[in-house]
Amino acid sequence: MTHESTAVGLASAYSNATTASGDWWRDAVIYQVYVRSFADSDGDGIGDLRGVRSRLPHLARLGVDAVWLTPFYVSPQADGGYDVADYRAVDPLFGDLADADELVRAAHGLGLRVIVDVVPNHTSEQHPWFRAALAGEPGARERYLFRRGRGADGSLPPNDWESIFGGPAWTRVADGDWYLHLFAPEQPDLDWTHPEVTAEFDSVLRFWLDLGVDGFRIDVAHGMVKADGLPDIGRGAQATLIGTQPLPFFDQDGVHEIHRAWRRLLDSYEGRRIGVAEAWAPSSERLALYVRPDELHQAFNFRFLVCPWDPEAMRTVIDESLSATTAVGAPTTWVLSNHDVVRHVTRYGGGRQGLARARAAALLMLALPGSAYLYQGEELGLPEVTDLPPESRQDPAFRRGRRPQTPVPASAPAPGSGPAAPGIIAPRDGEPPAPAPCGPAPEPQLAPQPHGHTGPEAEPGTCPAPEAQGHTGPGAGLGPEAGGGLGPEADAGPGVDPLTAPEAEGQDGLRDGCRVPMPWGGAEPPYGFGPAGSWLPQPPAWADLSVAAQTGDPHSTLELYRAALELRRAMPGLGAPGAGPSPDPRGMRWLHAPDGVLLFTRPGFACTLNTRPDPVELPAPGRPVLSSAPVETDGRTVRLPADSCTWWAL
């Protein structure tokens, strides 16, 4: 029995209780579109909103419920649009406001909801507020985190905080003050204690809600509030601590009041508009605080993303995640890949093994209670592109260098963003680190990664995974030998000048590999991405992975995803937590299984996952309806292939 033998007739008018009641997000499958890389309508090699609109039928046929769009706002593009200069306008690179309006209407016409990114932790250096701050406009600096430096002449940063991208988190301006940027210097952090900041983002959210969007993915939802006094941390390599222990710049209790206010705003609109937290917290319990009944609707489950290919680790993450969110009455939100992490085909070993595991992991994720996010191209089984030439890379962390200690003229350009804002000390690029070697390892053991906002760390011979959701967080697998810097034995504490200390550990700068534009069809690049080329080069082998090549092939990854999403809608036991009667309040129960195998049931449904490198036999849980690889069964016993997942009707 192979996955193509699923009964298409199983699809029905069934609608689970949460969908019928309007709580659509509780079991929604949401597809992330990285706008630059999805579809190009005008031939400039860069994806745009008209291109996205033209490809919406693919998403409708795939069977997803909503689409999440990465930032398309006016931006110098210093960090792929996560440096916003105007939150109410579309960057000409991607179209205009009319294109955004037409895209939302077209999506709604196909039954797809639309979620857009909002970036509230920081603005672009080109934002009018920050330009006013540098120009000395009275009160303008109070919207940001400007401070005097330490030392007799103020030449040392105000504290020892480090940028997630590496190096100090402070930049000095011409008059001697310093401003905080937890990410690139072109992304100054806002001060959320200022009432104008609160009022401005309320207005921004209303602007897009009035246009018709169905919700927001909130970038760095854990970062807007900093600890009083901005205290030192006392050690370097701070990016490795995110998500593992409390930090004074992330997951402060004050962020929850912001999210409560936004929930009230969202609830004031018809149509069940939602907020999705891109948040890292030291525990599942802390993460669950973001989805309490009066806060946001979803929070990405990054612990699942970084989980190794190990059944006990997977079961632990699933149980702890479901327990934490169930305690606050919220769904768990599962994810395997996004625009900042090495694609999971490659993380799981690459080649045939990586693809087999990725297909199995997708079925596991889609069988779990709650909501799931898909990253564009994962439905095609796309691997990470590991051999991009250095000159094509655009990740701002790719070239991390120490900055000069003296102001530069206002006319000097700021890297990646055109003319510099007045008075900024521009960063100086260092030599780019050599790309980490990538390739499949015989049996990669993906260890849980201590890096906050990261992907999993791979063993030697596999690709190190850059950070997980959002544009934030460090890369995985970094160390001094890979262009990292400070470890515990070389911390830059108080009294050590971060401008002359070794570079702090941050992202590895290799996030472009998961952002290579989509292949839609054709025998050679750009594979239908647009009329001309693509902003990142596409591999020659992608012709066989395109949407056109896989459509109609019952063995393809695309048809596997389509079948899975169809069955997910058709089978009453799938989707929302608690659907149907069950002894378990989550509607899910683990059953005994051989070593290396996971087996759980939901009402009328069972799922088996074989993580072993060899087939395994066990009693058939029911009637197989979908499998990531061919299964052999006589109705009483079943032989599960290596690295496979199978769905069963009970």
Side-chain angles (χ1 to χ4, degrees):
M1 177 268 169
T2 57
H3 75 260
E4 71 269 20
S5 68
T6 56
V8 175
L10 280 174
S12 69
Y14 168 76
S15 176
N16 67 47
T18 56
T19 302
S21 69
D23 291 346
W24 62 271
W25 66 87
R26 298 188 71 89
D27 63 351
V29 177
I30 300 173
Y31 187 100
Q32 181 192 355
V33 165
Y34 190 70
V35 176
R36 291 174 64 94
S37 298
F38 196 62
D40 170 25
S41 71
D42 58 12
D44 64 358
I46 297 173
D48 48 48
L49 296 181
R50 289 188 180 182
V52 174
R53 192 181 76 213
S54 73
R55 296 295 187 176
L56 288 176
H58 166 69
L59 303 185
R61 182 176 179 186
L62 185 62
V64 300
D65 300 290
V67 55
W68 153 33
L69 303 172
T70 55
F72 49 78
Y73 314 114
V74 171
S75 166
Q77 302 296 320
D79 184 23
Y82 285 94
D83 50 316
V84 182
D86 186 342
Y87 290 86
R88 297 178 183 82
V90 174
D91 195 290
L93 194 66
F94 304 122
D96 56 29
L97 198 57
D99 292 322
D101 181 70
E102 291 171 8
L103 191 161
V104 171
R105 292 175 184 273
H108 288 169
L110 291 170
L112 299 170
R113 291 178 168 89
V114 178
I115 296 169
V116 298
D117 252 305
V118 64
V119 187
N121 179 72
H122 47 264
T123 70
S124 165
E125 62 172 353
Q126 298 295 326
H127 192 283
W129 279 5
F130 194 69
R131 296 185 70 86
L134 293 181
E137 217 175 86
R141 290 192 181 184
E142 295 175 8
R143 301 173 182 133
Y144 294 89
L145 290 161
F146 278 85
R147 297 291 186 272
R148 299 300 299 176
R150 295 193 294 196
D153 58 356
S155 62
L156 296 177
N159 65 22
D160 66 356
W161 294 2
E162 296 169 355
S163 165
I164 306 305
F165 289 162
W170 296 91
T171 287
R172 200 178 191 191
V173 299
D175 63 8
D177 276 358
W178 298 76
Y179 70 88
L180 178 70
H181 52 86
L182 291 178
F183 303 99
E186 296 91 346
Q187 296 166 292
D189 279 45
L190 289 160
D191 186 346
W192 271 85
T193 66
H194 197 291
E196 289 184 24
V197 174
T198 302
E200 169 66 2
F201 276 90
D202 282 354
S203 174
V204 167
L205 296 186
R206 290 187 182 280
F207 178 87
W208 292 104
L209 290 168
D210 290 342
L211 186 131
V213 305
D214 300 282
F216 301 94
R217 177 267 193 185
I218 301 164
D219 186 63
V220 198
H222 56 298
M224 290 102 83
V225 173
K226 281 70 174 176
D228 290 343
L230 310 184
D232 281 335
I233 294 173
R235 60 155 292 176
Q238 294 162 14
T240 67
L241 308 178
I242 301 168
T244 65
Q245 66 183 57
L247 290 169
F249 50 72
F250 280 161
D251 193 39
Q252 296 293 302
D253 288 340
V255 300
H256 296 289
E257 188 50 47
I258 298 170
H259 298 319
R260 288 189 189 97
W262 284 4
R263 177 59 181 263
R264 292 191 293 271
L265 191 157
L266 290 166
D267 286 348
S268 71
Y269 280 78
E270 295 181 354
R272 297 289 191 175
R273 319 294 178 94
I274 71 167
V276 184
E278 186 242 356
W280 272 89
S283 68
S284 295
E285 290 73 23
R286 286 288 301 180
L287 183 63
L289 298 180
Y290 290 82
V291 289
R292 288 177 287 191
D294 62 343
E295 293 198 36
L296 301 175
H297 300 77
Q298 295 181 338
F300 292 113
N301 188 342
F302 297 132
R303 290 189 63 208
F304 183 73
L305 185 150
V306 304
C307 188
W309 186 254
D310 173 84
E312 292 305 316
M314 290 177 175
R315 179 168 174 170
T316 296
V317 167
I318 291 168
D319 281 344
E320 292 180 355
S321 301
L322 288 171
S323 177
T325 53
T326 299
V328 296
T332 300
T333 303
W334 314 98
V335 62
L336 287 169
S337 282
N338 61 60
H339 67 291
D340 287 318
V341 60
V342 169
R343 288 184 177 274
H344 56 281
V345 168
T346 302
R347 290 204 321 269
Y348 288 146
R352 291 180 180 273
Q353 180 190 66
L355 180 58
R357 290 177 171 181
R359 287 161 60 96
L363 288 193
L364 171 67
M365 176 178 72
L366 293 171
L368 294 171
S371 179
Y373 277 72
L374 310 180
Y375 177 50
Q376 67 177 48
E378 75 169 81
E379 78 275 21
L380 306 178
L382 296 184
E384 187 80 358
V385 179
T386 60
D387 57 354
L388 289 171
E391 62 271 15
S392 73
R393 294 189 179 276
Q394 297 192 23
D395 185 346
F398 184 62
R399 293 178 176 86
R400 298 190 308 270
R402 291 184 288 273
R403 287 168 284 159
Q405 300 182 50
T406 55
V408 294
S411 59
S417 61
I424 287 182
I425 296 180
R428 180 176 63 237
D429 284 348
E431 289 300 313
C438 286
E443 278 297 324
Q445 300 298 316
L446 301 178
Q449 174 53 248
H451 294 225
H453 240 131
T454 67
E457 182 175 7
E459 288 289 304
T462 64
C463 288
E467 56 98 16
Q469 277 303 340
H471 77 289
T472 62
L478 274 177
E481 73 284 354
L486 295 177
E489 71 286 353
D491 292 346
V496 177
D497 185 355
L499 294 176
T500 57
E503 182 185 343
E505 185 171 321
Q507 286 180 321
D508 61 15
L510 304 178
R511 295 179 298 164
D512 295 310
C514 62
R515 303 175 179 182
V516 174
M518 283 274 288
W520 292 97
E524 58 186 26
Y527 304 119
F529 170 67
S534 59
W535 69 283
L536 286 173
Q538 299 159 302
W542 276 18
D544 293 336
L545 297 178
S546 71
V547 173
Q550 295 195 44
T551 294
D553 177 358
H555 301 284
S556 71
T557 301
L558 175 58
E559 294 298 347
L560 175 68
Y561 270 74
R562 286 172 173 168
L565 294 177
E566 182 179 13
L567 283 169
R568 184 180 161 98
R569 289 177 181 271
M571 300 184 74
L574 290 180
S582 172
D584 188 310
R586 296 185 299 269
M588 175 176 164
R589 184 161 59 95
W590 295 104
L591 300 182
H592 176 74
D595 290 344
V597 175
L598 292 179
L599 169 58
F600 65 85
T601 62
R602 300 180 64 190
F605 171 86
C607 179
T608 53
L609 177 74
N610 180 16
T611 67
R612 291 161 52 160
D614 54 284
V616 61
E617 291 189 2
L618 70 159
R623 176 173 60 87
V625 294
L626 184 66
S627 181
S628 64
V631 296
E632 301 172 12
T633 179
D634 59 8
R636 296 184 301 274
T637 62
V638 61
R639 181 178 171 87
L640 298 176
D643 296 324
S644 70
C645 185
T646 304
W647 288 4
W648 307 81
L650 302 183

